[in-house]
């Protein structure tokens, strides 16, 4: 019983009830997604320049890092011009009120609820008077009746998020989902949520430090390498418009083993101090401990120093730390790491007025990195007078504010640490 389908190639199965999709020209006028600024610049930048209508944002981070605080502050700021709701599944209404009072934002017209049943929540949000912005704190506490599994299980988290995302798309609500990070570092079960949502942000910080860094790791509406820097105070999170000054605040002059790296985070230059300590190891196998950088990258820099420059770390422990709790992913930090290591080994400080940047290749060459001008400008702004950096063939004129010392090989750094009297390793 063959049915004749006129415009279908012979031999292809015909699907009953299927319609044809419509194609559009690539070259059309895109409809610009309207964005809303919260006025918290550090947050808006990470969001890609404001929050897009109907988008769903997942904010992950360790418990206690400040996710609830941040989102309550964002909601209170947005509430001036839009309907905002804050639904807590973790804290009682009074707890959230007390936080708002501490933050000094209790007067903001944010609608507050303590609820965990997703069906009830969607039923409430899905009305003409429903909110434009809604925080769900946290997605791990939410559950759907229809599922047997407990809240926080992968099935519940995924199904709850799916329902909330569907509502966001249908109504144009901006949904901000809080997600706790598990021990393995993934948000609620093998990263199930990350590809469902439009934007994923992580809120990070070192315990014992006041700095908090908001980082976009995925964004359908903006770049992903932007960071927002905050400081946790008893009045909540305050913005840090000039992170370099903050990261360098505790810097001590003229100590060996420290080098200032001129880095770029997203569109913004950030200066941080890289600290290295090379000390005799009491263990048979020396330790390599890294905080804030990639340990494989450290191993590479150590190997290049040894093989290409004759700088041997020998049986010493090596510790490397990015001061202030920032995590750096840029290979441009190589040169600063190498200088900090050589400085610790020789006991001779890196020139205190210098910043460093440049990638190191396996043959010991110092390779060019992007955004040189931006790095130099920031260094000059913070009072540095020289930059140890890769060679630049076509240099632009007019950066006289900073002295540029160009290096072709990492080994060319060595004379800097030679002229003064060297101390033996371990007491530098
Ligand atoms: N009374 C307080 N005074 C100062 N800081 C506080 C106070 N209460 C909480 N905090 C800070 O807020 C943090 C908790 O933030 P919170 O937003 O609840 O984190 P999360 O939602 O990520 O678990 C605490 O770790 C602490 O640093
Ligand atoms: Mg919380």
């Amino acid at each position: 019983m063959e049915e004749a389908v006129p415009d279908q190639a012979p031999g292809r199965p015909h699907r009953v009830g299927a319609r044809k999709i419509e194609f559009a020209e690539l070259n059309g006028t895109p409809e610009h997604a309207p964005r809303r600024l919260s006025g918290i610049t550090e947050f808006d930048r990470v969001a890609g320049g404001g929050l897009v209508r109907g988008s769903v944002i997942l904010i992950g981070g360790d418990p206690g890092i400040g996710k609830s605080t941040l989102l309550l502050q964002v909601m209170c700021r947005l509430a001036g011009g839009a309907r905002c709701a804050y639904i807590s599944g973790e804290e009682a209404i009074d707890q959230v009120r007390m936080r708002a009072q501490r933050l000094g934002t209790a007067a903001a017209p944010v609608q507050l609820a303590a609820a965990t049943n997703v069906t009830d929540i969607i039923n409430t949000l899905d009305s003409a008077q429903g909110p434009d912005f809604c925080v769900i704190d946290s997605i791990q506490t939410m559950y759907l009746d229809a599922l047997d599994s407990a809240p926080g299980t992968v099935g519940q988290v995924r199904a709850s998020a799916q329902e909330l995302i569907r509502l966001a798309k249908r109504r144009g609500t901006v949904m901000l989902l809080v997600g706790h990070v598990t021990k393995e570092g993934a948000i609620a079960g093998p990263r199930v949520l990350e590809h469902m949502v439009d934007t994923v942000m992580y809120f990070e910080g070192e315990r014992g430090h006041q700095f908090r860094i908001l980082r976009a790791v995925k964004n359908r509406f903006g770049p992903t390498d932007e960071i927002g820097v905050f400081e946790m105070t008893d009045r909540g999170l305050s913005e840090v418009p000039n992170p370099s000054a903050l990261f360098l605040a505790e810097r001590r002059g003229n100590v060996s083993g420290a080098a200032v790296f001129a880095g770029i985070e997203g569109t913004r230059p950030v200066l941080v101090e890289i600290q290295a300590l090379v000390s005799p190891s009491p263990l048979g196998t020396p330790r390599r401990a890294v905080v804030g950088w990639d340990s494989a990258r450290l191993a590479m820099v150590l190997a290049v120093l040894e093989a290409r420059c004759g700088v041997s770390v020998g049986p010493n422990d090596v510790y490397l730390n990015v001061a202030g709790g920032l995590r750096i992913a840029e290979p441009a930090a190589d040169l600063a790491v190498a200088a900090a290591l050589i400085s610790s080994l020789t006991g001779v400080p890196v020139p205190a007025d210098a910043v460093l940047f440049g990638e190191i290749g396996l043959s010991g060459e110092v390779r060019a990195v992007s955004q040189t001008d931006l790095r130099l400008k920031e260094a000059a702004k913070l009072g540095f007078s020289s930059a140890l950096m890769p060679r630049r063939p076509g240099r632009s004129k007019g950066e006289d504010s900073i002295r540029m010392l160009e290096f072709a090989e990492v080994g060319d750094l060595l004379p800097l640490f030679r002229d003064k009297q060297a101390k033996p390793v371990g007491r530098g």
Side-chain angles (χ1 to χ4, degrees):
M1 39 168 275
E2 291 241 345
E3 201 181 344
V5 184
D7 51 352
Q8 185 148 11
R12 295 271 169 81
H14 169 61
R15 298 193 187 278
V16 179
R19 282 174 298 182
K20 293 249 166 72
I21 59 163
E22 271 183 43
F23 288 107
E25 297 283 330
L26 186 58
N27 185 11
T29 319
E31 197 182 312
H32 274 291
R35 288 175 185 268
R36 181 76 73 124
L37 295 169
S38 70
I40 301 176
T41 315
E42 295 295 305
F43 177 83
D44 291 336
R45 182 183 330 98
V46 178
L51 296 168
V52 176
R53 198 180 129 81
S55 64
V56 180
I57 297 148
L58 176 67
I59 292 158
D62 289 332
I65 204 73
K67 302 179 294 296
S68 303
T69 307
L70 176 70
L71 291 181
L72 187 60
Q73 285 182 254
V74 169
M75 283 300 111
C76 290
R77 291 289 283 268
L78 285 166
R83 285 187 299 264
C84 293
Y86 189 105
I87 300 176
S88 178
E90 305 205 327
E91 290 164 302
I93 286 185
D94 275 345
Q95 272 177 290
V96 183
R97 279 187 181 147
M98 270 156 60
R99 177 178 296 129
Q101 273 158 18
R102 176 162 57 84
L103 305 177
T105 57
V110 174
Q111 291 183 295
L112 196 56
T116 51
N117 185 323
V118 174
T119 316
D120 292 350
I121 290 172
I122 286 178
N123 189 38
T124 313
L125 299 183
D126 198 5
S127 80
Q129 276 74 48
D132 307 309
F133 296 87
C134 182
V135 170
I136 302 287
D137 188 2
S138 66
I139 191 67
Q140 275 99 346
T141 57
M142 299 293 143
Y143 73 95
L144 277 169
D145 278 334
L147 267 67
D148 286 335
S149 47
T153 56
V154 173
Q156 280 288 8
V157 166
R158 183 170 26 206
S160 300
Q162 230 153 28
E163 291 301 316
L164 292 163
I165 291 167
R166 205 170 296 155
L167 176 84
K169 302 294 163 196
R170 193 171 71 234
R171 276 201 73 243
T173 314
V174 176
M175 204 67 86
L176 298 127
L177 310 177
V178 172
H180 289 298
V181 169
T182 60
K183 278 230 171 60
E184 298 76 40
I187 293 178
R191 299 191 174 266
V192 279
L193 291 183
E194 292 203 352
H195 55 262
M196 292 165 62
V197 299
D198 299 304
T199 301
V200 179
M201 297 179 187
Y202 278 94
F203 206 33
E204 316 166 336
E206 291 285 314
R207 234 160 259 286
H209 277 296
Q210 299 309 103
F211 321 132
R212 298 286 181 269
I213 291 152
L214 186 67
R215 191 186 290 273
V217 297
K218 164 185 171 176
N219 195 347
R220 288 186 182 145
F221 303 109
T224 51
D225 42 9
E226 292 289 0
I227 62 166
V229 184
F230 297 88
E231 197 175 353
M232 181 61 95
T233 71
D234 54 357
R235 306 257 304 160
L237 291 154
S238 63
E239 296 184 64
V240 178
N242 186 350
S244 301
L246 184 75
F247 290 134
L248 296 180
E250 285 167 50
R251 191 166 158 251
R252 296 162 55 214
N254 238 33
V255 288
S256 62
V260 176
F261 166 51
I264 301 281
E265 293 286 341
T267 53
R268 202 159 50 156
V270 176
L271 305 189
V272 282
E273 187 179 62
I274 300 205
Q275 304 173 332
L277 179 65
V278 181
S279 72
S281 179
L283 308 166
T285 316
R287 294 188 60 173
R288 303 279 185 262
V290 186
V291 178
W293 207 48
D294 183 12
S295 53
R297 200 87 203 164
L298 171 66
M300 188 212 78
V301 172
L302 286 171
V304 170
L305 284 176
E306 176 137 16
R308 308 289 177 188
C309 318
V311 175
S312 176
V313 168
N316 291 302
D317 287 336
V318 177
Y319 300 91
L320 192 83
N321 178 34
V322 178
L326 188 69
R327 258 196 312 121
I328 295 177
E330 265 196 300
D334 292 352
L335 197 64
V337 169
L341 287 167
I342 302 171
S343 168
S344 178
L345 260 170
T346 58
V348 179
V350 176
D353 67 340
V355 298
L356 296 95
F357 58 88
E359 184 179 342
I360 296 174
L362 285 181
S363 62
E365 81 275 22
V366 178
R367 312 174 68 133
V369 296
S370 64
Q371 320 233 51
T372 300
D373 292 338
L374 206 56
R375 297 174 203 266
L376 293 174
K377 231 166 109 186
E378 179 80 353
K381 198 172 97 188
L382 279 125
F384 289 89
S385 55
S386 60
L388 281 50
M389 54 185 270
R391 275 222 198 114
R392 280 208 299 173
R395 174 199 312 175
S396 56
K397 293 254 186 311
E399 291 141 5
D400 307 315
S401 53
I402 199 155
R403 200 159 50 102
M404 287 175 273
L405 304 169
E406 299 180 1
F407 291 83
E409 301 281 330
V410 62
D412 299 344
L413 281 177
L414 292 175
L416 285 176
F417 300 95
R418 215 172 259 151
D419 44 0
K420 286 154 219 142
Q421 87 192 99
K423 282 185 257 162
V425 169
R427 282 192 272 136

